[in-house]
Amino acid sequence: MEVSTRLLSDSTMMQDVYLRILRAARRQGIDREQLPDFLDLEEGRALWLVGQEELVESEIEKSLEGILEKRAREQDDVPLELTQRLLTATVRIGQHRFAQGVLANHQHRCVFCGLSGIIAGERRPRMLTASHIKPWRDSTGKERLDNRNGFTACPTHDVAFDTGLITVDSDLNVKYSPGIERDMTIEAPLRAALGKPPLADKLILPDVAVRPDVVYLDWHRTQIFVAS
């Protein structure tokens, strides 16, 4: 745990050790199918954890309260502060892996407008976000890692979805909150951001993509969407 905590608190050291392990594995014939490069570093990219903008430190701490209380009762020899740092890092790595899976599932394109996050042959990590349909803070541990609970979106459409200005029905049609269409007739910037186009009538999904789970879409429509 001490080794893990030290590595996770020093990104340069972590990247160096991670790449050493991967290179050793490749020399032994262990390919990407057996040991994926889940931090996406083998091609020379710098360490960048994606999907972190969805996480709020206070919400992470709240989610860990039960685990930390259990560890305290067990009187583990490992200091609680060390345990908390390791668990927090584990949450962030888990979010990274979730976001990577969502981005790959949607082939690095916004599902609402089709904007690509690959520009001039390079991935531009801040052009797109991969976040939960049912927010991380409201999801179970399993739901937080489920790619069917995620959308790839450009920042504008990600915020519009997260704040309930738009939603998606069970047939994957994009729907507006009441009043949005009226405002777009008089607000040109709003029309440029949320009109159709650039928004598509229906989610833009690659043929090979796994569709979002209707359970998560229903949750967003009833809990987040501004319906009246």
Side-chain angles (χ1 to χ4, degrees):
M1 287 185 71
E2 290 181 10
V3 171
S4 298
T5 303
R6 183 175 177 187
L7 289 175
L8 290 167
S9 64
D10 185 334
S11 60
T12 301
M13 183 186 296
M14 178 178 174
Q15 181 167 327
D16 180 61
V17 173
Y18 177 89
L19 287 172
R20 286 171 184 261
I21 291 170
L22 284 186
R23 284 195 291 266
R26 303 300 182 237
R27 286 196 295 270
Q28 296 299 317
I30 300 173
D31 61 20
R32 292 189 178 214
E33 185 69 27
Q34 297 170 287
L35 180 63
D37 175 19
F38 68 90
L39 290 180
D40 203 22
L41 298 180
E42 279 191 290
E43 296 178 4
R45 297 188 178 92
L47 178 61
W48 178 274
L49 297 182
V50 295
Q52 303 303 301
E53 58 278 347
E54 186 182 8
L55 299 179
V56 177
E57 200 68 34
S58 61
E59 292 174 355
I60 296 176
E61 291 174 359
K62 184 177 179 181
S63 74
L64 298 177
E65 284 177 357
I67 300 174
L68 292 171
E69 287 174 2
K70 184 174 183 292
R71 294 286 174 90
R73 289 195 300 271
E74 292 172 351
Q75 296 182 334
D76 199 321
D77 290 337
V78 180
L80 279 181
E81 182 183 355
L82 191 65
T83 302
Q84 183 172 13
R85 287 169 58 194
L86 182 58
L87 290 173
T88 299
T90 301
V91 167
R92 293 194 175 280
I93 294 292
Q95 176 74 356
H96 170 79
R97 298 190 70 175
F98 161 81
Q100 270 199 324
V102 172
L103 288 164
N105 186 43
H106 299 142
Q107 297 182 358
H108 295 267
R109 285 189 179 275
C110 174
V111 297
F112 296 104
C113 69
L115 176 70
S116 175
I118 301 175
I119 301 172
E122 293 287 335
R123 289 184 191 172
R124 311 292 174 171
R126 297 176 67 181
M127 291 297 297
L128 297 175
T129 62
S131 54
H132 291 83
I133 298 169
K134 180 180 179 181
W136 186 92
R137 64 180 178 275
D138 298 306
S139 295
T140 65
K142 183 177 180 181
E143 291 170 339
R144 289 169 180 167
L145 299 176
D146 187 355
N147 288 351
R148 298 171 301 169
N149 185 20
F151 278 157
T152 298
C154 64
T156 296
H157 297 144
D158 178 63
V159 171
F161 183 79
D162 281 350
T163 57
L165 296 179
I166 58 176
T167 195
V168 178
D169 67 17
S170 56
D171 293 321
L172 306 187
N173 297 304
V174 179
K175 300 291 187 181
Y176 290 117
S177 172
I180 300 298
E181 291 175 281
R182 180 201 62 221
D183 286 356
M184 283 193 294
T185 64
I186 55 177
E187 291 284 348
L190 181 64
R191 186 166 61 252
L194 296 182
K196 293 184 179 181
L199 278 180
D201 289 321
K202 200 164 189 167
L203 282 190
I204 302 169
L205 297 177
D207 292 338
V208 295
V210 177
R211 289 166 56 106
D213 195 310
V214 172
V215 171
Y216 302 126
L217 297 177
D218 288 346
W219 192 96
H220 180 271
R221 201 163 52 253
T222 57
Q223 303 298 320
I224 301 293
F225 183 53
V226 183
S228 60

